[in-house]
């Protein structure tokens, strides 16, 4: 688990340490203005979605800076485990990374290696930007980054569930995030899950149990406020929906009213 080094700028990390049940959301639109608007809603963290969102490297940099400047924690969800993508996200100033489709302990160890400066890992130094997003000077960032960045891996396949105990045992993995839609596709063969299928429930329970056993935080996606409130009874943090879905849902609901 991450150490006790304290930086008040790291809103999500501090809330997790305090067991304050922080709430995140996903950002899929390539706009630093959207990032600002969402950051001002009261969320504790925003996951900039470079896996499924319309987010380029440039947009990721801009959104990371905009979110951090407003006192919210930017995390970056990568599109794959490639070392260059980990380096770019952390060099932009992300307070952590979310890495999809982790299926083995070996994959988790490789992610951790690329996320840590030597001697714990192999991350290179050269960017002045991350210190800005952490609200500290560069020497302090270099000294503390290994112990304050959140390394989160996603469990979203049957293989990931089968190996979840070994994945959670990897030092340097701080959080596991359940991707319920991909998990349902892998375990059940369809999406969305009804939520009460024995195989699906067992996969989630097994993941939560492994995280608790090894002292890792555990998170998941929640579709709305009601499910978010329910999930926070079991999970340390949740990501409540998506900027794109929020736009669609508001317009759909208000158009129904307008045309009724």
């Amino acid at each position: 688990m991450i150490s006790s080094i304290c930086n008040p700028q790291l809103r999500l990390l501090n809330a997790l340490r305090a067991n304050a049940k922080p709430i995140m959301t996903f950002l899929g639109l390539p706009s630093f203005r959207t990032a600002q608007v969402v950051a001002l809603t009261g969320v504790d963290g925003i996951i900039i979605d470079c896996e499924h969102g319309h987010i380029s490297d440039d947009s990721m940099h801009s959104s990371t800076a905009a979110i951090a400047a407003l006192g919210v924690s930017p995390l970056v969800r990568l599109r794959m485990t490639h070392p260059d993508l980990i380096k770019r996200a952390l060099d932009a100033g992300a307070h952590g990374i979310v890495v999809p489709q982790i299926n083995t302990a070996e994959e988790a160890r490789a992610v951790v290696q690329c996320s840590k400066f030597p001697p714990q890992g192999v991350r290179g130094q050269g960017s002045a930007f991350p210190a800005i997003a952490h609200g500290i000077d560069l020497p302090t960032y270099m000294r503390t980054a290994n112990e304050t960045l959140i390394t989160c891996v996603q469990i979203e396949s049957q293989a990931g569930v089968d190996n979840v105990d070994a994945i959670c045992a990897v030092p340097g993995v701080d959080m596991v995030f359940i991707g319920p839609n991909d998990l349902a596709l892998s375990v059940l063969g369809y999406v969305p899950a009804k939520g009460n299928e024995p195989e699906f429930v067992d996969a989630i329970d097994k993941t939560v149990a492994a995280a608790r056993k090894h002292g890792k935080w555990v998170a998941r996606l929640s579709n709305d406020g009601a499910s978010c409130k329910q999930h926070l009874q079991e999970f340390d943090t949740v990501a409540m929906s998506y900027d794109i879905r929020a736009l669609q849902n508001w317009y759909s609901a208000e158009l129904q009213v307008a045309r009724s």
Side-chain angles (χ1 to χ4, degrees):
M1 187 66 75
I2 286 175
S3 83
S4 59
I5 292 170
C6 184
N7 176 354
Q9 179 75 10
L10 303 180
R11 179 167 169 172
L12 181 65
L13 173 61
N14 294 333
L16 285 165
R17 285 174 173 169
N19 193 31
K21 302 290 184 174
I23 297 173
M24 306 180 287
T25 192
F26 279 97
L27 184 78
L29 295 173
S31 165
F32 81 92
R33 291 298 187 197
T34 303
Q36 288 178 316
V37 169
V38 176
L40 287 169
T41 62
V43 294
D44 300 293
I46 298 176
I47 302 170
I48 301 164
D49 191 4
C50 296
E51 182 189 15
H52 294 302
H54 182 200
I55 306 287
S56 66
D57 187 80
D58 183 66
S59 296
M60 180 267 290
H61 263 266
S62 298
S63 295
T64 298
I67 292 163
L70 290 171
V72 176
S73 287
L75 278 69
V76 174
R77 178 159 74 174
L78 311 175
R79 63 180 180 265
M80 61 186 298
T81 60
H82 197 285
D84 285 355
L85 300 178
I86 296 173
K87 176 171 62 178
R88 291 298 291 170
L90 295 179
D91 281 359
H95 291 186
I97 54 171
V98 180
V99 187
Q101 293 289 345
I102 295 299
N103 297 318
T104 67
E106 289 73 23
E107 291 173 352
R109 275 192 286 271
V111 168
V112 171
Q113 274 282 297
C114 295
S115 303
K116 305 288 187 185
F117 290 120
Q120 290 96 330
V122 296
R123 179 185 172 192
Q125 191 276 326
S127 174
F129 302 134
I132 298 171
H134 285 240
I136 53 180
D137 58 52
L138 189 56
T140 303
Y141 177 82
M142 292 296 301
R143 209 166 49 244
T144 60
N146 280 3
E147 299 180 75
T148 56
L149 291 168
I150 297 171
T151 301
C152 174
V153 299
Q154 284 195 241
I155 303 297
E156 47 188 344
S157 70
Q158 184 64 61
V161 172
D162 291 342
N163 295 314
V164 71
D165 188 76
I167 291 168
C168 287
V170 173
V173 169
D174 304 301
M175 182 189 294
V176 292
F177 187 104
I178 294 172
N181 292 326
D182 278 337
L183 183 60
L185 275 175
S186 180
V187 173
L188 303 172
Y190 60 84
V191 68
K194 299 181 184 71
N196 59 356
E197 299 92 338
E199 305 95 326
F200 184 71
V201 172
D202 182 66
I204 291 177
D205 288 348
K206 187 175 179 181
T207 301
V208 172
R212 298 289 176 232
K213 175 183 173 183
H214 294 285
K216 314 296 186 180
W217 292 307
V218 60
R220 65 161 291 160
L221 174 70
S222 295
N223 287 331
D224 52 35
S227 59
C228 177
K229 186 174 182 179
Q230 177 188 348
H231 292 148
L232 283 174
Q233 295 177 24
E234 181 177 14
F235 292 83
D236 299 297
T237 180
V238 298
M240 187 173 69
S241 196
Y242 210 99
D243 60 339
I244 299 164
R245 191 173 297 130
L247 278 170
Q248 290 173 322
N249 288 348
W250 186 89
Y251 275 101
S252 296
E254 296 306 314
L255 282 167
Q256 275 191 327
V257 172
R259 289 170 173 161
S260 62

